[in-house]
Amino acid sequence: MSTIILVRHGQTEWNRVKRFRGRFDVPLNEAGLAQAEAAARAIAARWKASAVYASPLSRAMATAEPIAQGLGVEPQAHAGLIDIDYGAWQGLTPEEARAGWPELVEALYRGNPDTPIPGGESLATVGKRALGALRELAARHEGQAIVAVSHTMFNRALLVCAMGLPWDRFWRIGQDNGAINVFEVRGDAFSMVQWNDTCHLLTG
């Protein structure tokens, strides 16, 4: 059995103003840096993880860095953990995307896994990639705990696929900035231990 601690990166300005981020390399803002530090303290207090992997985008790597430092390891970029490719929608607000592709945006927000984002990925493609990446890392670290830092769309797609949920639940899955999720992985089977935990982000 392996334990995977799945973290969503800290906040960016595009998170705050609700723009499709995708592969655009948006840095953490001040709140996001604080969320990364809080997640690092929470993880170091509870787990002795042997490795920290992250999407190669800077917002994920900047979240992974204090986590890795707290565990005494080096963060490693992993291409399989990268955010969804939003193609032509990258950088747009949902309203701006609706102006050009109303039917496709509506289908995406209904959770249709095969919605073809122009020049980008479908939810089904992200889910398949997410499941493959986490299974690979679990097998590489059999019997150990590891941290993986990724993005809301990746994390939601993974949760749908790993837990066998219907895709119309996709947008009902909470994945707040800096949130911690925990899976136990036995072979191909995922068991959910902790979901969208943000208690470490609460302040007095």
mmCIF file of all heavy atoms in Angstrom, residues 118-138:
data_model
loop_
_atom_site.group_PDB
_atom_site.id
_atom_site.type_symbol
_atom_site.label_atom_id
_atom_site.label_comp_id
_atom_site.label_asym_id
_atom_site.label_seq_id
_atom_site.Cartn_x
_atom_site.Cartn_y
_atom_site.Cartn_z
ATOM 1 N N PRO A 118 -11.573 23.607 -27.605
ATOM 2 C CA PRO A 118 -10.833 23.868 -28.857
ATOM 3 C C PRO A 118 -9.326 23.987 -28.635
ATOM 4 O O PRO A 118 -8.861 24.836 -27.876
ATOM 5 C CB PRO A 118 -11.422 25.208 -29.334
ATOM 6 C CG PRO A 118 -12.787 25.264 -28.723
ATOM 7 C CD PRO A 118 -12.649 24.600 -27.383
ATOM 8 N N GLY A 119 -8.578 23.076 -29.222
ATOM 9 C CA GLY A 119 -7.130 23.079 -29.088
ATOM 10 C C GLY A 119 -6.632 22.568 -27.751
ATOM 11 O O GLY A 119 -5.426 22.649 -27.469
ATOM 12 N N GLY A 120 -7.516 22.023 -26.916
ATOM 13 C CA GLY A 120 -7.124 21.591 -25.579
ATOM 14 C C GLY A 120 -7.520 20.162 -25.276
ATOM 15 O O GLY A 120 -7.681 19.334 -26.170
ATOM 16 N N GLU A 121 -7.711 19.873 -23.991
ATOM 17 C CA GLU A 121 -8.036 18.525 -23.517
ATOM 18 C C GLU A 121 -9.482 18.436 -23.076
ATOM 19 O O GLU A 121 -10.066 19.415 -22.610
ATOM 20 C CB GLU A 121 -7.169 18.166 -22.298
ATOM 21 C CG GLU A 121 -5.707 17.967 -22.559
ATOM 22 C CD GLU A 121 -4.958 17.587 -21.296
ATOM 23 O OE1 GLU A 121 -4.845 18.421 -20.381
ATOM 24 O OE2 GLU A 121 -4.486 16.445 -21.219
ATOM 25 N N SER A 122 -10.043 17.254 -23.139
ATOM 26 C CA SER A 122 -11.348 16.983 -22.535
ATOM 27 C C SER A 122 -11.147 16.553 -21.086
ATOM 28 O O SER A 122 -10.045 16.186 -20.673
ATOM 29 C CB SER A 122 -12.064 15.870 -23.302
ATOM 30 O OG SER A 122 -11.373 14.637 -23.126
ATOM 31 N N LEU A 123 -12.236 16.579 -20.302
ATOM 32 C CA LEU A 123 -12.158 16.092 -18.919
ATOM 33 C C LEU A 123 -11.752 14.628 -18.873
ATOM 34 O O LEU A 123 -10.987 14.211 -17.998
ATOM 35 C CB LEU A 123 -13.504 16.289 -18.212
ATOM 36 C CG LEU A 123 -13.989 17.724 -18.013
ATOM 37 C CD1 LEU A 123 -15.318 17.722 -17.267
ATOM 38 C CD2 LEU A 123 -12.959 18.560 -17.273
ATOM 39 N N ALA A 124 -12.258 13.840 -19.821
ATOM 40 C CA ALA A 124 -11.928 12.411 -19.849
ATOM 41 C C ALA A 124 -10.432 12.197 -20.060
ATOM 42 O O ALA A 124 -9.818 11.318 -19.444
ATOM 43 C CB ALA A 124 -12.720 11.711 -20.947
ATOM 44 N N THR A 125 -9.832 13.017 -20.915
ATOM 45 C CA THR A 125 -8.392 12.908 -21.161
ATOM 46 C C THR A 125 -7.606 13.258 -19.907
ATOM 47 O O THR A 125 -6.629 12.582 -19.552
ATOM 48 C CB THR A 125 -7.981 13.834 -22.316
ATOM 49 O OG1 THR A 125 -8.699 13.459 -23.489
ATOM 50 C CG2 THR A 125 -6.490 13.739 -22.595
ATOM 51 N N VAL A 126 -8.028 14.315 -19.208
ATOM 52 C CA VAL A 126 -7.355 14.698 -17.968
ATOM 53 C C VAL A 126 -7.489 13.589 -16.923
ATOM 54 O O VAL A 126 -6.532 13.250 -16.225
ATOM 55 C CB VAL A 126 -7.910 16.025 -17.418
ATOM 56 C CG1 VAL A 126 -7.239 16.385 -16.086
ATOM 57 C CG2 VAL A 126 -7.709 17.148 -18.418
ATOM 58 N N GLY A 127 -8.689 13.020 -16.805
ATOM 59 C CA GLY A 127 -8.907 11.950 -15.843
ATOM 60 C C GLY A 127 -8.024 10.746 -16.106
ATOM 61 O O GLY A 127 -7.434 10.179 -15.172
ATOM 62 N N LYS A 128 -7.907 10.355 -17.368
ATOM 63 C CA LYS A 128 -7.056 9.209 -17.721
ATOM 64 C C LYS A 128 -5.604 9.513 -17.395
ATOM 65 O O LYS A 128 -4.885 8.668 -16.832
ATOM 66 C CB LYS A 128 -7.211 8.899 -19.207
ATOM 67 C CG LYS A 128 -6.406 7.695 -19.669
ATOM 68 C CD LYS A 128 -6.663 7.409 -21.144
ATOM 69 C CE LYS A 128 -5.864 6.203 -21.622
ATOM 70 N NZ LYS A 128 -6.097 5.923 -23.064
ATOM 71 N N ARG A 129 -5.157 10.730 -17.712
ATOM 72 C CA ARG A 129 -3.781 11.126 -17.413
ATOM 73 C C ARG A 129 -3.534 11.164 -15.907
ATOM 74 O O ARG A 129 -2.493 10.716 -15.415
ATOM 75 C CB ARG A 129 -3.501 12.492 -18.042
ATOM 76 C CG ARG A 129 -2.179 13.106 -17.630
ATOM 77 C CD ARG A 129 -1.781 14.262 -18.534
ATOM 78 N NE ARG A 129 -2.720 15.358 -18.554
ATOM 79 C CZ ARG A 129 -2.785 16.324 -17.656
ATOM 80 N NH1 ARG A 129 -1.981 16.307 -16.599
ATOM 81 N NH2 ARG A 129 -3.648 17.321 -17.785
ATOM 82 N N ALA A 130 -4.490 11.722 -15.156
ATOM 83 C CA ALA A 130 -4.341 11.833 -13.705
ATOM 84 C C ALA A 130 -4.240 10.463 -13.053
ATOM 85 O O ALA A 130 -3.372 10.218 -12.198
ATOM 86 C CB ALA A 130 -5.520 12.616 -13.124
ATOM 87 N N LEU A 131 -5.122 9.561 -13.457
ATOM 88 C CA LEU A 131 -5.120 8.219 -12.881
ATOM 89 C C LEU A 131 -3.802 7.503 -13.188
ATOM 90 O O LEU A 131 -3.203 6.865 -12.314
ATOM 91 C CB LEU A 131 -6.309 7.431 -13.436
ATOM 92 C CG LEU A 131 -6.880 6.307 -12.592
ATOM 93 C CD1 LEU A 131 -7.302 6.796 -11.215
ATOM 94 C CD2 LEU A 131 -8.073 5.681 -13.317
ATOM 95 N N GLY A 132 -3.331 7.659 -14.420
ATOM 96 C CA GLY A 132 -2.079 7.023 -14.802
ATOM 97 C C GLY A 132 -0.890 7.565 -14.023
ATOM 98 O O GLY A 132 -0.018 6.806 -13.576
ATOM 99 N N ALA A 133 -0.854 8.883 -13.845
ATOM 100 C CA ALA A 133 0.264 9.499 -13.131
ATOM 101 C C ALA A 133 0.309 9.052 -11.679
ATOM 102 O O ALA A 133 1.381 8.726 -11.140
ATOM 103 C CB ALA A 133 0.160 11.027 -13.224
ATOM 104 N N LEU A 134 -0.859 9.048 -11.011
ATOM 105 C CA LEU A 134 -0.879 8.663 -9.600
ATOM 106 C C LEU A 134 -0.598 7.177 -9.409
ATOM 107 O O LEU A 134 0.076 6.784 -8.444
ATOM 108 C CB LEU A 134 -2.210 9.057 -8.971
ATOM 109 C CG LEU A 134 -2.267 10.454 -8.333
ATOM 110 C CD1 LEU A 134 -1.360 10.543 -7.122
ATOM 111 C CD2 LEU A 134 -1.895 11.549 -9.320
ATOM 112 N N ARG A 135 -1.071 6.334 -10.317
ATOM 113 C CA ARG A 135 -0.753 4.908 -10.225
ATOM 114 C C ARG A 135 0.746 4.673 -10.420
ATOM 115 O O ARG A 135 1.353 3.852 -9.731
ATOM 116 C CB ARG A 135 -1.563 4.128 -11.253
ATOM 117 C CG ARG A 135 -3.000 3.899 -10.823
ATOM 118 C CD ARG A 135 -3.809 3.218 -11.897
ATOM 119 N NE ARG A 135 -5.127 2.835 -11.393
ATOM 120 C CZ ARG A 135 -6.175 2.578 -12.161
ATOM 121 N NH1 ARG A 135 -6.058 2.655 -13.481
ATOM 122 N NH2 ARG A 135 -7.330 2.236 -11.625
ATOM 123 N N GLU A 136 1.334 5.403 -11.340
ATOM 124 C CA GLU A 136 2.777 5.271 -11.568
ATOM 125 C C GLU A 136 3.565 5.664 -10.323
ATOM 126 O O GLU A 136 4.475 4.944 -9.887
ATOM 127 C CB GLU A 136 3.204 6.165 -12.737
ATOM 128 C CG GLU A 136 4.703 6.203 -12.974
ATOM 129 C CD GLU A 136 5.187 7.563 -13.458
ATOM 130 O OE1 GLU A 136 4.446 8.257 -14.188
ATOM 131 O OE2 GLU A 136 6.306 7.947 -13.076
ATOM 132 N N LEU A 137 3.200 6.784 -9.705
ATOM 133 C CA LEU A 137 3.920 7.244 -8.519
ATOM 134 C C LEU A 137 3.698 6.311 -7.334
ATOM 135 O O LEU A 137 4.625 6.055 -6.556
ATOM 136 C CB LEU A 137 3.491 8.665 -8.167
ATOM 137 C CG LEU A 137 3.921 9.752 -9.165
ATOM 138 C CD1 LEU A 137 3.328 11.092 -8.775
ATOM 139 C CD2 LEU A 137 5.441 9.835 -9.256
ATOM 140 N N ALA A 138 2.475 5.790 -7.195
ATOM 141 C CA ALA A 138 2.198 4.852 -6.102
ATOM 142 C C ALA A 138 3.035 3.585 -6.247
ATOM 143 O O ALA A 138 3.581 3.067 -5.268
ATOM 144 C CB ALA A 138 0.716 4.516 -6.068
#
